[in-house]
Amino acid sequence: MVLLLLAFWGPGVPLQPVRTVVLLDQSPSAREAVWKVGPSLSLPGAQYVAFASGAAQVASPSARRLDLGEGTRLQEALRKAQQLRPDRIVLVSDGLFQDQPEPIGIPIYSLHQPPSPNLSLSLLGPALPARGQTIEVRAVLESTASVGARLTLDGPAGRLVRDLRLEPGRSSLGYRFRLDGPAAVTARVESPLGLDQARLELSPTDSIRVWVLGDKALARYLKAQGFTVEERREVSLPIRAEVVALGVGARDLSVAELDALQSFLNQGGSLLWTATPRGLFFGGWERSGLAESLPVEPVEEPGGVGIVLVLDVSGSMLEADKLGLAVVGSLELIRSARPQDYIGVVVFSDRPRWLFRPRPMTEQGRKEAESLLLSTSAGGGTMIRRAYLEALNALESVPTDSKQVIALTDGLAADVTPDLFDAARQAAPKIKTSTVAIGADADRQFLRELAQAGGGTFWDVPSPQDLPRFFLEEAQRAFRREALEGSFPVSVRPHPVTRATRPPALSVILPAKTKPWAQTLLSSGEGTVLAVGESGRGRVAALATDLSRSWLDWPGTSALVAELLRWLSQTPARPRVQALREPEGLRVLLEGQFERPSLQAGGLTVSLAPTGPLRYEARLPRDTVGQAVIFENEQPRLRLQLPSLPEWRLEDGRENLRRLSEASGGRLLEQVSELKGLPSRKDFSLQWPLIALALGLFLLERYLERRRAQNP
């Protein structure tokens, strides 16, 4: 029983040596002091780890490492020490850490070394400055000693030089200038403590990157507002912009370029269509692969067009898939037609055959026509005469003012007679005849003469692969949209884009209406002038007027398009967040579409308060480091790496070490000599040996009692 009581008490005998790891701070602020005391840090059996931004094991306390970075990251050093399985850690440092180290369950004995004298320089600018605003950039100087210094500032306001007498603490000097575009401010401070430099680049908040294709007027307005504008002729990957403005037509871009725009939209980019002479409906965007993303659709104009396609389906059309490509092109013609347009297709080989006679291209008519075209097959000779004459006769009864025959063949017609040309002349100009030669074997002379007789156009398409594009271009010519000219008053609907906007009447407008899923911001009567919406993960907008002809004398044009581009750039997929370290604390700025966002960092949860349209702000304690997370409706949306604390700071490093040591079970040492007073051996616990001995004695006692019972 006595042995068990002793085991419960837990006695020990100092037999084992204490395993010690010494952490040597070799960051710029502490290395000189640590190197100075290094020889006196030699402890029996100790292991040594040097650290700054990184950590590495070294052979002795006098080792000097300049390859570990220019910061002070203690957590990495503690992990390195933990791998050596010490019983205690001796930390020699100035206590100015750029992270927030967590205890690792090992006592830390700290020895404070004062940081070397230093004069640091940083530049602090305004958050989210506006174009044309007079701003102030402050040069912030932090000195740890009394010193004289010369400060030089360079920027848009010229050079500013000041001779200063600095005391320990923080001081600052302002540099003011007007921000008319991207600008840079550089600063340089020279003193007996050394040289330090800083550079700050500033851009107006509306310096959004925009690619503009085919709209020089829009590009001029955006450049005047400080946007980063790149005028381009093509779309290439990657698209390095927040917004792509399209003043070109869909037919001006390749399939790969259209796919790139669709991918850009799906990934959070934004598109803006404008009604230049080649853009919007003039460019056939309502019939392109991006039609579903276009926020407007054309208002159907009165009057239609009648077209009969005379299509060669002879055996030679099977070569190089000429018939298949001609069918694909014909489908483009049908899909481009409006409900008031009439289209018919008569095919010919040895004899003519109507696929379908001229019919209005209503939704039902278009579906039936597409089905009949897709069932076309080829075979036989090339007899065009009867098919052409039937096309002329069929168009006579079509109730449209504009009528046209398009004859397409790849070979030599076997039945060309003079009456063919006579019929073309008699029908013109009421019915025009255009002809298309496909491939190298087409009878170009006959087709050219027939087009001349019919008052139309002869088209030479040497490569069958060009047929779909030819038909798309022909559809643009045949079913062209007309802009209206005059004076069209504009009505405004409330929206962040249109706040404080009172636009005058337009001089030109393209008849358009807003799709059900989009929102009208500007309108004129029943017509839409500006519509916006969301598609994929991005935003879209369409402007149904030409800025090179409308609002030329209105000073608010630049401001309106600037607000539109800002709204387009702030897609849900592309919010922006920024953290600024200021003397008073850490400032976090958020831009984007959010509903009651919050911020989590350093164990704190802070609400982001709205400061303007799509803008939010929060403040964190000055010593907050690490990663911050933006939440919306309790769901993480963005992650942000907070800027590190500076290496030299006006901070009590000794107190930092005291808190860390006491939290780990150690203490702060006042002098190097106290290291020798630390125990060199640790107790060997006698608990288990005493328990084993007590158990042995118990078994021995039981054995002896049993022997006595057997031998009375």
Side-chain angles (χ1 to χ4, degrees), residues 626-657:
Q627 191 177 74
V629 183
I630 304 294
F631 283 82
E632 183 180 26
N633 297 326
E634 300 183 356
Q635 297 297 321
R637 284 283 306 276
L638 287 173
R639 297 184 185 275
L640 169 68
Q641 189 65 37
L642 299 176
S644 299
L645 290 166
E647 172 65 14
W648 275 275
R649 307 189 297 281
L650 298 174
E651 190 175 303
D652 191 347
R654 179 184 293 273
E655 184 60 29
N656 291 341
L657 291 176

Side-chain angles (χ1 to χ4, degrees), residues 3-4 689-703:
L3 290 175
L4 288 176
L690 290 173
I691 292 174
L693 182 59
L695 180 62
L697 290 175
F698 172 74
L699 294 175
L700 178 61
E701 182 183 21
R702 298 299 299 166
Y703 172 75

Side-chain angles (χ1 to χ4, degrees), residues 400-481:
T400 61
D401 294 332
S402 176
K403 303 176 184 180
Q404 183 180 8
V405 173
I406 301 176
L408 183 148
T409 181
D410 72 332
L412 299 174
D415 57 348
V416 176
T417 57
D419 66 327
L420 218 65
F421 303 103
D422 293 338
R425 293 188 190 95
Q426 291 173 5
K430 185 178 179 181
I431 303 175
K432 292 183 178 181
T433 298
S434 294
T435 57
V436 184
I438 308 173
D441 299 329
D443 190 344
R444 284 170 172 75
Q445 182 177 350
F446 157 66
L447 294 172
R448 186 177 288 107
E449 291 176 357
L450 183 61
Q452 290 174 351
T457 305
F458 166 68
W459 302 97
D460 190 353
V461 184
S463 173
Q465 283 73 23
D466 292 332
L467 277 172
R469 178 171 288 273
F470 160 76
F471 275 106
L472 180 58
E473 293 176 350
E474 183 60 27
Q476 302 303 317
R477 289 185 289 269
F479 310 124
R480 63 184 179 275
R481 307 287 178 181

Side-chain angles (χ1 to χ4, degrees), residues 73 96 109 176 241 317 338 387 480 529 536 598 601 659 682:
R73 306 282 181 181
L96 301 180
Y109 295 85
R176 295 173 65 86
M317 288 289 287
R338 302 161 296 179
R480 63 184 179 275
V529 176
S598 62
R659 288 196 298 266
K682 62 180 179 179

